[in-house]
Amino acid sequence: MQDTFGRPITYLRVSVTDRCDFRCFYCMPEAMTFLPRSELLSLEELDEVCSTFVERGVTKVRLTGGEPLLRRGIMDFIKGFSRHLDSGALDELTLTTNASQLSKHAHDLKALGVERINVSLDTLDADKFKEITRTGRLDQVIEGLDAASSAGLKVKINTVALKDYNEGELSQLVKWCGERGFDLTLIETMPLGDIGGDRTESYLPLDDVRKTLDQDWTLTPSPYNTGGPSRYVDVKETGQRIGFITPLSEHFCDTCNRMRLTCTGTLYMCLGQDSSVNLRDALRSDASKGALNAAIDKALTLKPKGHEFEISANGGPPSLKRHMNVTGG
Ligand code: SAM
Ligand code: SF4
């Protein structure tokens, strides 16, 4: 698959549920309303849609959410879908998780062919963790990470850089990741969905973070490139990498190879734009998958050249109404 700008489209991110046990303040409001279960694609339908993408050339699938490990039956889904890893059609099946359920599933994930996972963790301070996630417990996440390490899963920590919350401990996080053999990706807050507050207050440009980290660590630009939005540096002292995702201060769209499927079957062609097609209706209207394939063809023509994120000044409305848990991070 290729879009109209000649970019090969090989990477599908799937939000398997919009539900979450945490309420990270930059992601959703405390009193978040979730979708009625009846609107979700069934796991069989998810398998059918994702398998169609694999048949059409997708080589990497990332499960996300909401919290993907909270979707009932998700481990059975992964078990079935891992047939594409066995056949060689799929290079990688991975997930992004808050790790609250990871201690239960880490070994099975590894046994099913998942090699690497991304775990979101913004602070190592238990009180701040509670403040940021509102409902989460740091010890549960650390337990999940321990289980991932002992299962042999490679872990990358995703950390949203937050002014007044974790800006003073990012250097310590680099050290902690180094000791545990985790890579680290730092992310700027993105203006997605109403959070019942002002995002500008916690927005921290990564340029500033980089300057602070430069004082404590020897950072050199890394040739490592996943085709994704991160720019990487190697940390000489720890031997690990740090990625920087800067959607607001730097565009990264020229090499974008990804699409995002929501748990209701809407396919978004860009995290920062509204262009989408409804695959659920296409799937349900035609058992031969003709309509599904036609809808995917249409989607490829809609992929925009780039996103248009802008963090609104003075707490104005977010650039996009959709929350991150709907499209998946
Ligand atoms: N619940 C899982 C987790 O937290 O890893 C997966 C879904 S979560 C939406 C995926 C990623 O999006 C997380 O790393 C989270 O920190 C990030 N995220 C959520 N809202 C964001 C926002 N407004 N700006 C930047 N990153 C955000
Ligand atoms: Fe849940 Fe992930 Fe959003 Fe936090 S960032 S509320 S863990 S979906």
Side-chain angles (χ1 to χ4, degrees):
M1 290 184 289
Q2 261 200 1
D3 72 0
T4 49
F5 301 98
R7 291 173 295 195
I9 307 300
T10 53
Y11 181 8
L12 179 68
R13 291 190 166 217
V14 189
S15 174
V16 296
T17 175
D18 66 327
R19 283 165 199 260
C20 191
D21 48 349
F22 293 1
R23 297 285 184 280
C24 303
F25 76 83
Y26 51 77
C27 180
M28 55 175 81
E30 192 154 15
M32 181 74 177
T33 312
F34 295 108
L35 293 164
R37 282 183 214 278
S38 56
E39 284 192 25
L40 303 197
L41 289 184
S42 68
L43 290 175
E44 292 72 23
E45 287 175 323
L46 259 184
D47 186 296
E48 201 168 344
V49 174
C50 295
S51 296
T52 303
F53 278 110
V54 173
E55 281 158 25
R56 295 195 55 167
V58 160
T59 53
K60 176 170 173 178
V61 171
R62 176 178 298 278
L63 307 180
T64 175
E67 176 42 44
L69 294 176
L70 281 185
R71 171 90 196 240
R72 197 172 302 150
I74 192 66
M75 293 306 290
D76 290 333
F77 169 84
I78 294 173
K79 191 170 179 188
F81 196 69
S82 66
R83 69 187 181 279
H84 298 298
L85 289 172
D86 299 338
S87 76
L90 192 64
D91 291 340
E92 184 168 27
L93 177 59
T94 181
L95 68 161
T96 301
T97 172
N98 66 20
S100 69
Q101 313 298 311
L102 193 56
S103 62
K104 277 187 265 175
H105 299 304
H107 279 86
D108 290 343
L109 287 170
K110 175 72 174 145
L112 291 172
V114 174
E115 297 292 337
R116 304 187 300 163
I117 54 170
N118 288 0
V119 172
S120 306
L121 176 60
D122 302 323
T123 176
L124 295 171
D125 176 313
D127 294 333
K128 276 195 190 150
F129 186 85
K130 181 87 207 224
E131 226 182 299
I132 292 171
T133 62
R134 295 185 179 118
T135 54
R137 275 191 12 237
L138 181 64
D139 57 344
Q140 211 178 354
V141 170
I142 300 293
E143 215 177 286
L145 285 167
D146 289 342
S149 293
S150 78
L153 288 168
K154 191 145 175 37
V155 173
K156 181 158 74 69
I157 300 291
N158 279 352
T159 300
V160 179
L162 299 163
K163 197 160 145 223
D164 297 334
Y165 284 91
N166 60 11
E167 64 178 315
E169 62 164 309
L170 294 175
S171 209
Q172 190 201 336
L173 202 60
V174 171
K175 179 166 180 276
W176 182 82
C177 285
E179 286 162 2
R180 292 191 156 227
F182 301 157
D183 281 335
L184 171 67
T185 291
L186 300 172
I187 309 170
E188 281 176 355
T189 42
M190 295 179 236
L192 294 172
D194 203 340
I195 52 169
D198 183 0
R199 258 199 198 90
T200 47
E201 281 175 7
S202 55
Y203 173 61
L204 180 62
L206 289 186
D207 274 355
D208 297 354
V209 173
R210 172 72 199 262
K211 280 180 204 138
T212 312
L213 294 182
D214 268 329
Q215 291 169 10
D216 296 337
W217 304 98
T218 314
L219 307 179
T220 48
S222 163
Y224 183 71
N225 181 357
T226 58
S230 271
R231 311 250 183 271
Y232 290 92
V233 296
D234 292 317
V235 188
K236 187 173 164 213
E237 291 83 354
T238 68
Q240 296 301 128
R241 267 188 294 262
I242 309 178
F244 293 86
I245 302 187
T246 52
L248 298 170
S249 53
E250 198 177 354
H251 275 230
F252 45 70
C253 307
D254 293 353
T255 54
C256 181
N257 61 355
R258 57 189 67 187
M259 304 165 286
R260 295 163 192 271
L261 181 67
T262 72
C263 55
T264 58
T266 301
L267 183 70
Y268 283 98
M269 301 309 284
C270 173
L271 182 63
Q273 296 265 15
D274 274 330
S275 16
S276 66
V277 293
N278 178 332
L279 298 187
R280 183 177 60 179
D281 289 354
L283 178 72
R284 290 179 183 173
S285 70
D286 175 6
S288 75
K289 295 215 268 193
L292 177 61
N293 275 303
I296 294 171
D297 289 338
K298 167 97 176 100
L300 289 168
T301 69
L302 296 179
K303 187 162 169 70
K305 193 152 189 260
H307 67 65
E308 286 167 3
F309 286 133
E310 207 182 312
I311 204 144
S312 354
N314 309 320
S319 300
L320 281 180
K321 288 210 175 70
R322 252 172 22 242
H323 287 93
M324 189 71 130
N325 67 312
V326 172
T327 337

